[in-house]
Amino acid sequence: AQSVSQHNHHVILSEAASLELGCNYSYGGTVNLFWYVQYPGQHLQLLLKYFSGDPLVKGIKGFEAEFIKSKFSFNLRKPSVQWSDTAEYFCAVTPYSSASKIIFGSGTRLSIRP
Amino acid sequence: NAGVTQTPKFRILKIGQSMTLQCAQDMNHNYMYWYRQDPGMGLKLIYYSVGAGITDKGEVPNGYNVSRSTTEDFPLRLELAAPSQTSVYFCASSYSGQNTEAFFGQGTRLTVV
């Protein structure tokens, strides 16, 4: 079955630390890839997306992600986190063959110490 | 531009009661989705629709029903509420299934007691 794995359930960092959240998916064909962010008490918002082209994509608020096809990975990075980045982060995949389904990972809760 | 609108925001149901969660979008999106979010479990797809009159089951459809009579609306029905249906429910929509992003509503927090 198609699945998305996020390796870190809860990450705690200090402000200005660098961030990398892992995401791996299990599907061999063409995919669309997403990172969504959910701030406390709010709905999911798109952070960044990859459809095709340059595997390094930049999103809002200084986030970026790199698609490595050979590793089935789409890790999220940010060089220097801020307290306002405290949120839950979800990786998501849409396989081209079943494009009506967006498959989400279990999420990573990020807590930033001021 | 309202985007995806869900009502109600909060609801408490007694076991065995029924209710309908409303979802409407004003972006003329063809695809609509219902997810439930449980702590540490991410989002699980309940039902989805690729257009008016077309719906299909997702990963966790048991205990729910949907309909899609118009492009704009995609209500989710709980017929006999059970404590296992306590969750946060999100509706989402997208223009198509490929090379598009999904937009989410604000969510409905449902508690079944």
Side-chain angles (χ1 to χ4, degrees):
Chain A
Q2 299 152 354
S3 65
V4 178
S5 298
Q6 291 184 240
H7 316 297
N8 314 101
H9 296 293
H10 188 194
V11 173
I12 303 172
L13 295 173
S14 298
E15 276 192 304
S18 63
L19 170 71
E20 181 160 1
L21 302 182
C23 173
N24 287 90
Y25 62 93
S26 63
Y27 181 72
T30 302
V31 294
N32 291 157
L33 297 158
F34 307 87
W35 276 97
Y36 283 87
V37 60
Q38 186 179 31
Y39 298 104
Q42 295 191 25
H43 64 295
L44 275 77
Q45 304 169 44
L46 183 69
L47 204 52
L48 48 78
K49 61 193 177 191
Y50 174 80
F51 295 157
S52 64
D54 189 344
L56 184 62
V57 293
K58 296 192 183 298
I60 60 172
K61 302 186 181 186
F63 285 91
E64 65 179 30
E66 185 175 13
F67 171 46
I68 303 179
K69 190 174 182 179
S70 61
K71 293 185 178 181
F72 301 93
S73 69
F74 190 55
N75 291 354
L76 181 71
R77 300 194 291 249
K78 185 171 184 178
S80 176
V81 295
Q82 301 171 309
W83 180 79
S84 58
D85 293 325
T86 296
E88 190 149 17
Y89 293 80
F90 293 93
C91 181
V93 171
T94 299
Y96 257 52
S97 64
S98 54
S100 51
K101 296 181 181 180
I102 309 170
I103 303 164
F104 283 85
S106 57
T108 296
R109 186 156 64 100
L110 177 64
S111 300
I112 306 298
R113 291 188 291 247
Chain B
N1 188 354
V4 179
T5 303
Q6 289 183 238
T7 55
K9 289 187 169 53
F10 303 94
R11 184 71 186 268
I12 298 175
L13 278 183
K14 293 184 178 177
I15 294 171
Q17 286 185 320
S18 62
M19 77 163 294
T20 300
L21 281 65
Q22 302 290 345
C23 176
Q25 52 91 9
D26 62 359
M27 297 174 281
N28 202 31
H29 284 171
N30 294 313
Y31 287 57
M32 295 188 75
Y33 315 84
W34 273 106
Y35 287 89
R36 60 176 287 171
Q37 183 182 26
D38 301 300
M41 301 296 288
L43 281 80
K44 300 295 184 186
L45 182 63
I46 305 171
Y47 272 95
Y48 64 97
S49 168
V50 301
I54 306 169
T55 62
D56 208 346
K57 296 177 181 178
E59 300 172 81
V60 289
N62 291 344
Y64 307 95
N65 277 302
V66 293
S67 59
R68 184 97 183 268
S69 56
T70 66
T71 299
E72 295 78 20
D73 300 297
F74 190 42
L76 177 71
R77 179 114 180 124
L78 283 71
E79 290 294 349
L80 290 169
S84 61
Q85 293 177 304
T86 294
S87 188
V88 180
Y89 292 84
F90 287 100
C91 178
S93 72
S94 63
Y95 180 68
S96 71
Q98 296 173 356
N99 295 340
T100 60
E101 66 193 76
F103 294 81
F104 284 80
Q106 296 281 350
T108 296
R109 184 175 294 276
L110 175 67
T111 303
V112 181
V113 295

